[in-house]
Amino acid sequence: MGQMGRNLAYGFGRPLPFTLHLMCNIHMKDNIASNLSELGIQAPVAEEYRVDILGKNIGSTRRPGLIDALNTAEFDTMLKSLSEKWERRHPMGGRFLKYFTKYKAEEIKRTMTAEVRSMHIWLVLVSLQVCMIRTAKNA
């Protein structure tokens, strides 16, 4: 997460202490695309990596990606099963795997998996309730 993301998470965290920070798919896609490009991994191969991570909707069918993991254990299993494929897919695939594992995997597990997104809805409701109670006490 960049400095701007940390500032936003801190800013929202103060009035809504129970909320989770969710990483935006667009920002994650841009970050991944930038690294793939820096490594010389271009379309259509780069798109294969992005789909492996972010999934893809094809009509009414979802091709799941790592962000669709139901929990962190499933994410780790999915990433492990992709590792060899990523290394073989492109000569720089091993370098991308190292980048992803070091800089993105934990961030996705913390902010993007299906488990986190489903918890987020519940926590937002709890946080709003807390804010309403605080407001009522101060009125």
Side-chain angles (χ1 to χ4, degrees):
M1 181 183 328
Q3 184 61 41
M4 188 162 106
R6 280 189 289 277
N7 290 342
L8 284 171
Y10 175 75
F12 283 112
R14 286 178 40 217
L16 302 171
F18 300 106
T19 59
L20 294 171
H21 172 73
L22 299 180
M23 174 61 97
C24 170
N25 281 13
I26 295 169
H27 291 114
M28 181 60 72
K29 183 179 179 180
D30 289 348
N31 291 342
I32 290 167
S34 176
N35 186 264
L36 289 166
S37 179
E38 286 172 18
L39 293 172
I41 303 173
Q42 302 299 321
V45 176
E47 180 63 17
E48 293 177 38
Y49 286 100
R50 286 192 295 271
V51 170
D52 286 343
I53 297 163
L54 300 171
K56 183 176 186 175
N57 293 325
I58 304 165
S60 62
T61 305
R62 173 93 177 140
R63 178 178 163 198
L66 289 169
I67 68 165
D68 297 302
L70 297 177
N71 53 53
T72 58
E74 184 177 48
F75 178 96
D76 291 337
T77 300
M78 290 169 70
L79 180 57
K80 185 176 182 180
S81 73
L82 287 169
S83 295
E84 189 176 324
K85 182 164 97 172
W86 282 8
E87 289 176 338
R88 283 194 322 252
R89 184 177 282 160
H90 188 274
M92 297 300 282
R95 295 246 334 250
F96 177 73
L97 176 61
K98 286 179 185 174
Y99 155 81
F100 183 82
T101 302
K102 183 173 182 177
Y103 297 106
K104 295 299 171 190
E106 289 301 318
E107 185 174 20
I108 289 173
K109 287 193 281 188
R110 199 174 56 254
T111 66
M112 294 185 77
T113 61
E115 177 183 44
V116 171
R117 291 190 312 265
S118 67
M119 285 188 325
H120 185 260
I121 293 166
W122 182 82
L123 289 171
V124 165
L125 293 174
V126 169
S127 292
L128 289 173
Q129 222 173 7
V130 168
C131 286
M132 289 170 58
I133 291 167
R134 286 181 183 165
T135 302
K137 284 182 181 178
N138 293 334

